[in-house]
Amino acid sequence: MLIKSSHRTHAAQLLLGAAFAALCVAPAAAQTAPAAEPVAEEDSGAIVVSGYRRSLEDAIDMKRNTIGFSDSIVATDIADFPEQNLSEALQRVPGVTIEREKGLGTRVNVRGLPSEFTFVSINKLATASGSGGRDVEFDIFASELIQSVTVQKSPTAADEEGGIAGSVAIRTARPFDNPGLRLVGSAEGAYNSISEKIDPSFSFLASNTFGDFGALISVAKQQRTNRTDSNSGINFRPIARWTDRAGTTYRNQAIAVLQRDAGITFTDAMKNKIVFLDKVGDRVYQNDQDRLGISGSLQYKPHNNFSLAFDAFLGSYDTTEDEYDAAGYSASSNSTLETIHGFDATTLSSAGIVVLRDVSYTNTQHEFLSKQYITDTDYRQFSGEMNWKTGRLTINALGGYSGAKRVLDYANLKHVAYAPSRTRYTENGGETIPSANPNTIDMYNAPSKYLFEAYETTREQINDDKYAGQIDLGYDFGSSVFKRFTLGGRYTSKTNERQYGEEKIQGPTRGSTAYVNVRKLGDSPLTNVTDIVGGKDYQARNLSWSQISNDYARSFFRPAGFVTPFQNANYYKVKEETIAGYAMLDMEFDVSFPIVANLGGRYVRTTINSEGFHQVQNPNGTTGLTPAPVSSTGRYEKFLPSFNAHAELTDSLYLRAAASQTLIRPALTDLAYKRTASFSSYRYTDGNPGLKPTFADQWEVGVEKYLGKDGGILAASYFWKKIKGVVQSRLTGVAKGVTVYNANGSVNGVYDFDVYQPVNAEGSYNVSGIELNAVIPFGMFARWMDGFGINANATFLDSSLTGQSDLGVPTSPIGLSDNTYNATVFYDKGPISLRVSYNRKGAYVERIERNMYPVYRDAYGQFDFAASYQLMRNFRVELQGINVGNAKTTGYTMDPSFPTTYEFSGSRITLGIRAQF
């Protein structure tokens, strides 16, 4: 839902979350403020629900006064739109799309650019989420605690740098947003159509003001169970897998079968142009989430010209994801082609690619995997802000800390069976079935054929800490042209530290290999996979199989007191310090019509110190690590100009324009000065603390037509960005004389290793697009339609950048969707509020498989709805639905006839009640 950048709306309707007994004598009540606060009319006793429609009207007023381009949602809308987390609420904003992971919104994309191109802050502090990168995983935040979110698309000089796509500014509630005593709360139950479980959610808020002082606290607690069934992982593998193995029977047989069954005379030029299905997998994911969020605020506000506030925002987000895989890998180390039953030389003929669609293989590797990801994230933020206006001088000061700690405990129990099998495409995915070879197996029902390989474990810990301080001075001139001059400075310090380790358990004690190739899958208790996770039968195919539960695997295969040790080879620490200063001038003048403008510039200087262990050759010829981390530094500085303006051409017609230069800093993982090795490909990968930011020159123009007293608007804008210095991995050197060892400890040989590092690529590319937005209340056409309306937006993108396929296959940039649509049809009058929403993101390139074959995620659209009824002044009942059409997630390699993903996450229905006092 679109609302323009300001926080003037009825913030009372936004307060989200939690009881605070110290504030009031009344017992703790409940959760987020209703989207529609009822007002009892004394003359008639009628109840008027004004939330959603009032939000739209306020949005029009705010847009008139906004200098640049920005869009917001306030808590009224976050609470009312069906959503599972904050990112899903943001998908209603024009130009914003979200990345979904197994049906759940996670990261946010602004104007189709990658998520790391978006800068995120909470209460004006850069957000720490523990992701290890620049991008923020929004699913960790409880939306019930958020008062407003503003997506800033054209920055001013006062805005902290860091977002080429835009910035997302999150704000929590404060007591003087709505003075006096306020208690708000909710309780709800949510049902998932596949897991068939009902999950609870609660939130409470208490806020009060005592003369010049105020206090607020809110709490939100949510549990969610999401299940996803997926026939996926289907990918191309080039015939080079066998034809590059010179002098072997695997190569000779593959070439002979190509000639015999497909009439293809192999040449070396075709080694990457003939492809087969390397992997087909059926998977069930069960994701259990436990989210707790707490926000609090103490505020001193003796008058409108002075405010001193201390804010706290804390929480935890703990997830356990169980994944059960049954997969067939055609390209095992001792397999090759046996019979080609079907091939396709026409669909991808423009790229010269032949696809072997249906093949029997001599010795497929079948795997049963029981995987478990346990992730615990704790985040906290503390900040203080002062806003003081004395005479013509305004002083604003800010300081605070934002931190997160994330710990991931991963385990994978792996059993393997080698046997001839047949793998082929199906209409929606792929399948592995028995072949005509007498030694074949039914991979889903052969527990005695699967031998234990390993119980693999990893442990990762990321500490993410950010500190910031800022002061701004503003002076009002009071003249007719020059309105205000603002000068400010900011210091930020960011530290990201990662520790990582992995270990294989192959016997009853550490170091033992007693289970390897001895213990069988059937030696452990097997349970039907859907009985393990609960809920409906497997949704992706008519299929059933049994596996070892992760609970049993964890209890049986881990020795007492087992903890995966961290390893120095995977350690890194990056510290980044930035000093920024800015100045800007606000102007207002008439040239036949009023014009408001903002002109400014921001100077930034950033210093980076990064450290990590490097691999070295020991005196005895073995490979080891440096005794201590090796550090390196980098530095850059930049001046970033900005301009924003709008002109009131008529009372109802506005023109907007903006131009600026922005940047996005390199990912912290790319800055990390560490080295990892691939001994099979003779390659080192190093970090690069000397990386510079990626810059963008950008401008935008837009026009807005206001539709009168009913609060309607039609708006359109065109934006253009020239992006320079994109970070890419490139060959930067050669490490001479590296010893490589075989698995038994013998020397394989001494090789020269290529060294790859992330670097700023030369050249630039352009991204341009059009955003359209319409808010139309139907009551402006006929009185009987009062209460009905539509709120819709669309974004269309174009880019000059093509993908990085080594085969020269033209693709869009990874992650860039050419078009997105959002539409909400609503009825909001009296005690009834109804909304049906549709959100669609167009197809985009998900990755380039093996740097050669672009893999696409299909366009995805889903329907959501929300309905509420105001039972009485203080109570409202709500019904919400997410993905009510049970849309599936699909994808393909190069052409839809070669599917890669067929995934179901089901729908979610929520029933709840809200109370407000």
Side-chain angles (χ1 to χ4, degrees):
M1 143 74 219
L2 167 68
I3 299 221
K4 285 305 173 190
S5 59
S6 171
H7 306 305
R8 294 188 296 158
T9 49
H10 289 180
Q13 300 172 349
L14 337 166
L15 297 178
L16 314 162
F20 188 17
L23 294 178
C24 46
V25 296
Q31 195 239 332
T32 67
E37 181 181 357
V39 178
E41 298 181 358
E42 294 182 2
D43 58 341
S44 65
I47 294 177
V48 179
V49 179
S50 58
Y52 187 76
R53 293 172 62 189
R54 179 60 181 270
S55 297
L56 296 177
E57 293 172 4
D58 287 344
I60 305 307
D61 293 337
M62 295 179 206
K63 190 173 185 71
R64 287 180 183 267
N65 298 320
T66 300
I67 293 179
F69 293 87
S70 67
D71 299 278
S72 301
I73 52 176
V74 295
T76 297
D77 310 309
I78 295 173
D80 269 0
F81 271 122
E83 95 292 329
Q84 299 180 84
N85 54 51
L86 183 57
S87 70
E88 299 201 349
L90 279 169
Q91 68 183 321
R92 317 294 175 185
V93 175
V96 174
T97 56
I98 63 174
E99 296 179 8
R100 295 181 185 274
E101 184 70 25
K102 305 179 187 72
L104 295 174
T106 54
R107 295 176 174 87
V108 169
N109 305 109
V110 177
R111 290 181 164 170
L113 293 168
S115 58
E116 59 267 24
F117 279 34
T118 300
F119 177 77
V120 181
S121 65
I122 297 179
N123 294 333
K124 301 180 183 179
L125 295 178
T127 305
S129 70
S131 66
R134 301 282 183 184
D135 52 339
V136 173
E137 297 175 355
F138 282 81
D139 52 344
I140 74 173
F141 301 123
S143 60
E144 293 90 342
L145 302 183
I146 307 304
Q147 174 167 352
S148 66
V149 183
T150 297
V151 180
Q152 187 81 20
K153 301 170 184 176
S154 61
T156 68
D159 296 320
E160 186 174 0
E161 71 287 347
I164 283 179
S167 63
V168 175
I170 301 169
R171 181 176 179 265
T172 58
R174 288 176 176 169
F176 278 97
D177 291 337
N178 189 69
L181 174 64
R182 189 173 183 85
L183 297 172
V184 187
S186 76
E188 65 182 32
Y191 172 81
N192 181 271
S193 64
I194 299 182
S195 70
E196 297 184 317
K197 293 183 179 180
I198 298 177
D199 302 308
S201 178
F202 307 94
S203 57
F204 307 90
L205 173 135
S207 176
N208 204 356
T209 54
F210 315 92
D212 297 338
F213 293 90
L216 176 148
I217 188 169
S218 58
V219 178
K221 183 77 165 72
Q222 182 190 72
Q223 291 180 315
R224 285 289 183 263
T225 302
N226 293 284
R227 190 182 124 192
T228 297
D229 296 353
S230 177
N231 177 226
S232 62
I234 304 152
N235 65 323
F236 283 179
R237 184 77 178 257
I239 205 71
R241 167 63 175 161
W242 296 305
T243 58
D244 275 2
R245 298 167 71 173
T248 68
T249 56
Y250 304 111
R251 166 186 165 86
N252 296 337
Q253 182 166 334
I255 292 173
V257 173
L258 282 171
Q259 177 66 53
R260 182 194 70 197
D261 295 343
I264 298 174
T265 301
F266 175 81
T267 64
D268 190 61
M270 301 170 67
K271 68 178 185 178
N272 293 320
K273 296 293 187 76
I274 301 172
V275 297
F276 61 95
L277 279 72
D278 173 32
K279 179 173 68 173
V280 173
D282 288 283
R283 297 171 174 84
V284 173
Y285 302 89
Q286 179 86 346
N287 188 285
D288 294 309
Q289 306 171 3
D290 192 343
R291 182 188 290 113
L292 172 65
I294 303 172
S295 71
S297 179
L298 297 174
Q299 190 174 11
Y300 172 62
K301 190 174 183 180
H303 47 76
N304 289 334
N305 290 333
F306 184 85
S307 175
L308 181 64
F310 296 94
D311 302 307
F313 188 57
L314 306 95
S316 64
Y317 181 56
D318 301 332
T319 65
T320 298
E321 181 172 277
D322 293 300
E323 176 184 342
Y324 297 99
D325 290 8
Y329 295 79
S330 308
S332 69
S333 59
N334 55 4
S335 182
T336 190
L337 306 179
E338 188 170 73
T339 304
I340 299 173
H341 304 282
F343 67 96
D344 184 342
T346 59
T347 303
L348 302 179
S349 59
S350 61
I353 294 176
V354 177
V355 182
L356 308 183
R357 298 189 62 97
D358 184 354
V359 179
S360 290
Y361 300 90
T362 59
N363 210 24
T364 295
Q365 178 179 320
H366 309 86
E367 291 186 353
F368 268 30
L369 308 175
S370 297
K371 299 181 181 180
Q372 188 173 58
Y373 306 79
I374 299 177
T375 305
D376 296 333
T377 303
D378 295 305
Y379 61 90
R380 62 273 176 198
Q381 179 170 308
F382 306 97
S383 62
E385 183 177 10
M386 183 191 73
N387 306 110
W388 182 20
K389 183 174 182 181
T390 172
R392 293 187 175 183
L393 182 65
T394 300
I395 303 173
N396 299 316
L398 171 75
Y401 162 79
S402 177
K405 177 181 178 181
R406 171 170 294 186
V407 178
L408 171 63
D409 181 352
Y410 165 78
N412 177 21
L413 175 59
K414 184 176 181 180
H415 288 79
V416 178
Y418 290 92
S421 284
R422 179 177 178 178
T423 298
R424 62 189 180 187
Y425 278 107
T426 62
E427 180 180 357
N428 299 314
E431 63 180 0
T432 297
I433 60 175
S435 68
N437 190 304
N439 295 319
T440 192
I441 63 171
D442 176 0
M443 63 171 285
Y444 296 95
N445 190 30
S448 63
K449 301 293 185 180
Y450 285 83
L451 296 176
F452 174 89
E453 184 171 292
Y455 182 72
E456 303 169 338
T457 70
T458 67
R459 185 165 64 108
E460 180 181 41
Q461 178 176 305
I462 295 175
N463 293 305
D464 188 7
D465 298 291
K466 297 177 171 67
Y467 298 87
Q470 177 171 316
I471 187 166
D472 305 312
L473 302 176
Y475 183 78
D476 294 326
F477 293 107
S479 69
S480 59
V481 176
F482 299 107
K483 293 295 184 181
R484 181 183 177 87
F485 179 75
T486 308
L487 186 71
R490 186 181 183 99
Y491 169 79
T492 60
S493 175
K494 305 175 184 179
T495 303
N496 191 279
E497 183 180 47
R498 184 217 192 205
Q499 297 185 80
Y500 177 89
E502 57 187 33
E503 185 171 0
K504 286 185 178 182
I505 298 174
Q506 296 182 309
T509 59
R510 267 192 167 120
S512 170
T513 58
Y515 293 156
V516 178
N517 294 326
V518 174
R519 186 177 177 89
K520 298 179 180 179
L521 180 68
D523 292 336
S524 299
L526 300 178
T527 307
N528 185 283
V529 66
T530 55
D531 289 338
I532 296 175
V533 298
K536 292 183 177 179
D537 292 340
Y538 184 58
Q539 300 290 291
R541 293 204 289 152
N542 183 18
L543 183 66
S544 178
W545 73 97
S546 296
Q547 290 200 207
I548 301 171
S549 75
N550 283 317
D551 288 344
Y552 175 84
R554 181 173 285 268
S555 64
F556 181 86
F557 288 100
R558 293 190 179 219
F562 172 84
V563 175
T564 305
F566 290 134
Q567 298 162 349
N568 286 343
N570 298 293
Y571 165 85
Y572 69 74
K573 183 177 181 179
V574 179
K575 184 174 183 179
E576 178 182 87
E577 293 183 299
T578 298
I579 297 175
Y582 78 90
M584 66 183 188
L585 180 65
D586 291 296
M587 297 170 285
E588 186 174 342
F589 49 90
D590 285 331
V591 286
S592 301
F593 45 80
I595 295 177
V596 178
N598 173 279
L599 178 66
R602 186 178 185 89
Y603 167 81
V604 296
R605 186 184 71 190
T606 300
T607 303
I608 298 157
N609 184 278
S610 177
E611 65 180 33
F613 289 88
H614 279 216
Q615 290 182 330
V616 295
Q617 294 291 121
N618 292 323
N620 61 0
T622 62
T623 301
L625 297 173
T626 54
V630 179
S631 64
S632 180
T633 60
R635 176 175 167 171
Y636 55 84
E637 51 190 295
K638 186 69 175 178
F639 178 76
L640 304 172
S642 64
F643 169 78
N644 292 272
H646 75 253
E648 188 177 347
L649 303 180
T650 70
D651 288 343
S652 62
L653 186 65
Y654 276 47
L655 178 68
R656 266 179 225 287
S660 61
Q661 187 173 72
T662 62
L663 62 82
I664 177 68
R665 292 186 168 87
L668 295 171
T669 51
D670 289 337
L671 292 171
Y673 196 55
K674 61 182 179 62
R675 168 168 287 181
T676 58
S678 173
F679 292 102
S680 60
S681 57
Y682 314 118
R683 172 172 171 166
Y684 284 135
T685 301
D686 290 358
N688 184 3
L691 279 174
K692 300 297 189 289
T694 298
F695 295 100
D697 300 322
Q698 61 184 25
W699 58 265
E700 183 169 3
V701 293
V703 62
E704 301 150 7
K705 175 66 176 177
Y706 298 90
L707 304 180
K709 63 182 180 64
D710 295 290
I713 185 174
L714 299 175
S717 67
Y718 174 83
F719 61 88
W720 177 90
K721 298 175 186 286
K722 182 177 183 180
I723 300 176
K724 299 169 287 186
V726 174
V727 176
Q728 296 178 347
S729 180
R730 296 284 175 84
L731 177 66
T732 59
V734 176
K736 299 286 188 178
V738 180
T739 303
V740 176
Y741 297 88
N742 296 313
N744 61 7
S746 62
V747 175
N748 177 285
V750 178
Y751 302 90
D752 292 342
F753 274 42
D754 291 333
V755 179
Y756 282 78
Q757 286 181 287
V759 299
N760 296 105
E762 296 181 359
S764 63
Y765 70 95
N766 299 332
V767 174
S768 60
I770 296 174
E771 282 185 5
L772 305 175
N773 184 40
V775 178
I776 305 174
F778 295 159
M780 64 185 297
F781 304 116
R783 291 191 62 183
W784 65 268
M785 300 178 73
D786 184 43
F788 289 97
I790 186 170
N791 178 18
N793 60 75
T795 304
F796 306 92
L797 298 172
D798 187 27
S799 172
S800 65
L801 180 69
T802 58
Q804 302 175 41
S805 168
D806 291 347
L807 296 181
V809 178
T811 72
S812 299
I814 293 174
L816 182 65
S817 176
D818 291 341
N819 52 73
T820 59
Y821 308 90
N822 290 287
T824 297
V825 178
F826 63 87
Y827 174 78
D828 195 16
K829 187 176 183 180
I832 299 174
S833 181
L834 302 170
R835 283 179 301 286
V836 177
S837 301
Y838 180 72
N839 173 263
R840 183 184 186 276
K841 180 178 181 179
Y844 61 92
V845 177
E846 189 173 18
R847 67 182 187 278
I848 310 273
E849 181 71 33
R850 303 179 190 280
N851 293 323
M852 292 185 284
Y853 317 110
V855 178
Y856 288 81
R857 180 68 63 93
D858 273 313
Y860 179 88
Q862 74 176 41
F863 283 96
D864 305 326
F865 76 84
S868 66
Y869 184 80
Q870 200 76 32
L871 296 172
M872 57 188 70
R873 180 181 179 86
N874 300 112
F875 294 95
R876 182 174 59 153
V877 65
E878 296 180 326
L879 179 68
Q880 297 183 347
I882 297 173
N883 191 24
V884 293
N886 199 25
K888 58 186 178 293
T889 300
T890 59
Y892 58 89
T893 305
M894 299 186 68
D895 187 89
S897 63
F898 306 115
T900 60
T901 301
Y902 192 60
E903 190 171 277
F904 291 82
S905 296
S907 59
R908 179 174 290 278
I909 305 298
T910 301
L911 179 63
I913 188 167
R914 295 176 186 267
Q916 176 175 294
F917 301 92

